[in-house]
Amino acid sequence: MTELMFKGKEFVWNHHLAVPARPLVPHPEKGIGEARLDGNLIVQGDNLHALKALLPMYAGKVDCVFIDPPYNTGEEGWSYNDNVNGPMIREWLDANPVGIDDGLRHDKWCAMMWPRVRLLYELMADDGSIWITLDDNEVHRARLILDEIFGEDCAIGQIVWQKRTSRENRAVLSPSFDHVLVYSKALRDTWKLRRNRLLPTDGGYANPDDDPRGPWASIPFSAQGYREKQVYVITTPTGVQHRPPKGRCWGATEPEFDRLRELDLVYWPKGGNGKPRIKQFPDEAKGLVPMTLWPAAEVGSTEESKKQLLSIFKEYEAQDLQIHAPKPVDLVRRVIEIATRRDSIVMDSFAGTGTTAHAVVEANKFDGGDRRFILVEMEDYADRLTAERVRRVIKGYDFTGTQKTELLRERLNWRALEKADALVHEVQGIENLHGHEFDRIKKEVKDGELVVTGEKAVAERAEGAGGEFTYCTLGEPVELDAILTGEELPAFDALAGILFHMATSQPVPPGETDAERFHVGEVNGTRVWLIYRPDLEWLKSSEAALSLSFARRIAEAHPNERHLVFAPARYVSQRLLDAEGLAVEFVPLPFALYRVERE
């Protein structure tokens, strides 16, 4: 494997391990609903520190990561400010912000991304996937970073997204697309089997023949290649004879086709003269394999996303919102369709304008799902823009005008005209499926394309999609070495989560932590305890030590399990614990900066 080398790599290789743990501090007044850390989250703070803060609860649980990091065009003015110890890094900081004339800007970008991707990898589920949007400036370096961290065999693909449809005459070549890199923790073939689902089939369903089984769509009755038993003559109800298309065969043998005809599953287009197609009902649809070309007509463009954002923030101009090129909601919706289940966790650690949360809320509204989002944004607009957009999407917002939703866009070439009846059938299906959602379904031919749009008049207020979230900031770093000096005494839950993750590499199981019993949680036969209270005098007392009676009590209550007990001191030796057959191990505070290996 080709290794990516960049200046500073030796300093950031394991920098994610040295990042101090910081607790999440909820701000109930800025969220919606009950403040809770196991629901939707918006975190304001440096994303490297925020990702480390999320590890104790979310390690191995995130199903989908969608990030839109700095493209490093030389015009963003972003700063590399990770606190990495090293004279070279300190020199770099003096050259911030990173600009077009900075000869080390690509090295700095790699140094910024490396520890963040390492933490995102730890947060991802075993079959989770990461989707990263970039342009030509850094996409090739990003692939090498991902190859090293995830492995080349975990590269799912590289998607081309048409980000703009207008021409940029000032450029050498007018940029029309961005890249979307897709990697998974699982190997490529494993992820293919475990991914959520294929994309919905094109077009809607209709019932032009009043089939008692309900609306249906038709699919071609042909297959690639040559199979002798699937090459035969089919006669239509009007007497026209058809053979399979050149280079193809029919989709089944003749006896199977006769069976499908008896079951009224064959549709004859062109008034009965056309080649047979097969009726497919919604619950039978297998879906479509995602392509690597995503046109703006399907997933939106940056121009459209700006207009949508400004419709939500009607009181602002674009320059007031400090937006450049927000990602379209439909782009992230497409990712969610492919990469999530209805109860998945979706994370965006470069949250920007909050598109990812908007897409998750809309996806839940569409299919009744219970997906959760976790957003991280370090800029000062995290509250007034990122979170405020989510508040308005959830609650509704002032809006007067017509909301338009594009339902179909089809280029009208000769091939489309030859299949005009199928296209009309498709439009009728859309009208039947979505007509009740809009005031009208508008059909127009524009610039050589058939565009079908759902329109809904809004008099005063756009309807909210519902939901809730908790807004958090980052607390002061938890320095374990400072606990017994009294310099820092974190809350029990904050310290317990950090130590549990250190000891087991897993997040704390929800609902198991009990400060009164000093119980933290259990995973894979290992139970973790923390004898601790945020009280310096108590920590110096004999009550804060592991005793033989405490060891006997927990071993008796939870037999056949291994017990790790974090405490400032102990009054019983490991030899005595072993002699009594107690599977109890003492881990001293504040020296718990290492990971306890499982036996």
Side-chain angles (χ1 to χ4, degrees), residues 233-509:
V233 175
I234 290 179
T235 303
T236 73
T238 59
V240 178
Q241 292 187 332
H242 290 291
R243 295 186 64 82
K246 188 175 181 180
R248 299 175 69 87
C249 59
W250 295 124
T253 62
E254 192 166 9
E256 175 64 14
F257 175 74
D258 291 338
R259 188 185 72 84
L260 293 172
R261 183 157 44 185
E262 289 174 5
L263 293 173
D264 190 23
L265 290 175
V266 178
Y267 165 62
W268 305 93
K270 298 183 179 180
N273 293 326
K275 292 179 180 179
R277 297 174 66 87
I278 303 302
K279 289 183 179 181
Q280 187 176 74
F281 297 92
D283 57 351
E284 299 169 346
K286 294 180 180 179
L288 304 171
V289 173
M291 299 181 72
T292 55
L293 176 61
W294 291 6
E298 295 180 7
V299 297
S301 65
T302 53
E303 294 99 322
E304 293 169 352
S305 60
K306 283 182 184 178
K307 291 178 182 177
Q308 182 181 33
L309 192 62
L310 289 171
S311 72
I312 297 173
F313 291 90
K314 290 185 71 70
E315 69 270 33
Y316 292 111
E317 299 292 337
Q319 60 270 21
D320 298 326
L321 291 174
Q322 300 176 11
I323 61 173
H324 173 58
K327 295 299 173 283
V329 171
D330 287 344
L331 175 69
V332 187
R333 278 283 302 275
R334 169 70 63 85
V335 172
I336 290 171
E337 274 189 323
I338 298 169
T340 74
R341 296 173 289 274
R342 293 190 179 186
D343 60 349
S344 289
I345 297 175
V346 182
M347 176 175 285
D348 183 349
S349 55
F350 293 87
T353 60
T355 300
T356 298
H358 190 162
V360 169
V361 169
E362 282 202 356
N364 286 341
K365 182 180 179 182
F366 178 77
D367 64 10
D370 191 29
R371 300 171 188 85
R372 288 180 282 161
F373 62 78
I374 301 175
L375 304 190
V376 180
E377 178 52 56
M378 69 177 292
E379 298 294 341
D380 57 6
Y381 57 68
D383 183 13
R384 66 176 178 82
L385 175 57
T386 312
E388 181 59 22
R389 176 183 187 172
V390 181
R391 294 183 194 109
R392 296 187 183 194
V393 169
I394 289 175
K395 290 184 172 182
Y397 52 92
D398 293 339
F399 180 80
T400 301
T402 302
Q403 287 187 317
K404 299 180 180 181
T405 303
E406 187 174 295
L407 302 173
L408 175 70
R409 183 181 292 265
E410 184 79 30
R411 182 163 292 282
L412 296 179
N413 51 29
W414 178 250
R415 187 175 180 180
L417 293 176
E418 281 187 315
K419 299 180 178 180
D421 57 331
L423 188 57
V424 171
H425 177 64
E426 187 174 356
V427 173
Q428 290 173 342
I430 290 173
E431 290 179 311
N432 290 337
L433 189 64
H434 296 287
H436 68 283
E437 300 173 13
F438 303 97
D439 295 330
R440 72 164 180 158
I441 303 292
K442 182 179 179 181
K443 303 175 286 288
E444 62 178 342
V445 176
K446 185 177 180 181
D447 298 329
E449 292 181 318
L450 170 65
V451 182
V452 180
T453 307
E455 296 185 351
K456 186 175 183 178
V458 180
E460 297 180 353
R461 190 169 180 80
E463 181 183 356
E468 58 183 33
F469 73 91
T470 298
Y471 188 93
C472 297
T473 54
L474 297 175
E476 292 300 315
V478 177
E479 301 290 351
L480 298 181
D481 279 333
I483 290 176
L484 291 189
T485 66
E487 295 175 27
E488 279 191 35
L489 292 175
F492 181 91
D493 288 350
L495 182 57
I498 294 167
L499 296 178
F500 188 88
H501 181 257
M502 284 182 173
T504 67
S505 300
Q506 299 292 321
V508 176

Side-chain angles (χ1 to χ4, degrees), residues 467-597:
E468 58 183 33
F469 73 91
T470 298
Y471 188 93
C472 297
T473 54
L474 297 175
E476 292 300 315
V478 177
E479 301 290 351
L480 298 181
D481 279 333
I483 290 176
L484 291 189
T485 66
E487 295 175 27
E488 279 191 35
L489 292 175
F492 181 91
D493 288 350
L495 182 57
I498 294 167
L499 296 178
F500 188 88
H501 181 257
M502 284 182 173
T504 67
S505 300
Q506 299 292 321
V508 176
E512 290 197 13
T513 302
D514 185 345
E516 292 298 318
R517 296 191 301 121
F518 304 125
H519 183 256
V520 179
E522 182 273 336
V523 65
N524 297 328
T526 295
R527 194 169 293 273
V528 179
W529 306 81
L530 172 61
I531 301 177
Y532 171 83
R533 289 177 186 168
D535 181 330
L536 182 59
E537 293 306 315
W538 185 90
L539 289 170
K540 293 178 180 179
S541 71
S542 60
E543 294 180 70
L546 170 62
S547 64
L548 181 58
S549 61
F550 183 87
R552 286 172 174 166
R553 185 166 68 250
I554 63 175
E556 181 180 345
H558 305 280
N560 304 319
E561 291 182 344
R562 178 187 178 217
H563 300 269
L564 298 180
V565 182
F566 289 86
R570 64 176 172 179
Y571 289 158
V572 59
S573 68
Q574 191 64 49
R575 179 179 298 179
L576 181 55
L577 292 173
D578 295 341
E580 290 215 8
L582 303 175
V584 176
E585 182 179 341
F586 169 69
V587 188
L589 287 175
F591 307 109
L593 295 175
Y594 55 89
R595 176 168 291 162
V596 180
E597 300 294 337

Side-chain angles (χ1 to χ4, degrees), residues 206-243:
N207 196 1
D209 60 352
D210 295 323
D211 192 309
R213 292 165 292 190
W216 50 271
S218 65
I219 59 175
F221 182 63
S222 65
Q224 291 181 346
Y226 174 82
R227 300 174 184 85
E228 185 176 355
K229 292 184 178 180
Q230 291 175 221
V231 177
Y232 49 90
V233 175
I234 290 179
T235 303
T236 73
T238 59
V240 178
Q241 292 187 332
H242 290 291
R243 295 186 64 82

